Amino acid sequence: MQEITLQVQGMSCGHCVNAIETSVGQLTGVNEVKVDLEAAKVAVAFDATQTSQQVIVNEIEEQGYDVV
């Protein structure tokens, strides 16, 4: 299990949290997604044999947010 924490800009409300947690959570190999709105961070636990950090970043950016 691999864990990453990404700095994400553009999140401002509960809808943002739900959008990211739902879309990233549905990716194959993702076990857990936690969004910290105040800190502008997204923590993801995933199986690196099933997905990658780049796939997760791409999914967040497709939702309209910027990963720094």
Side-chain angles (χ1 to χ4, degrees), residues 3-63:
E3 295 184 17
I4 56 171
T5 301
L6 304 168
Q7 189 75 34
V8 180
Q9 294 179 337
M11 301 184 300
S12 61
C13 63
H15 172 75
C16 301
V17 172
N18 289 337
I20 291 174
E21 287 183 346
T22 300
S23 65
V24 174
Q26 290 176 347
L27 294 173
T28 300
V30 172
N31 292 47
E32 187 175 15
V33 184
K34 288 185 183 176
V35 175
D36 184 338
L37 197 56
E38 282 189 25
K41 292 185 179 183
V42 177
V44 184
F46 64 98
D47 182 343
T49 64
Q50 295 184 328
T51 193
S52 68
Q53 179 172 334
Q54 190 58 54
V55 170
I56 293 165
V57 167
N58 290 346
E59 184 63 34
I60 292 170
E61 290 180 341
E62 283 179 21
Q63 296 298 316

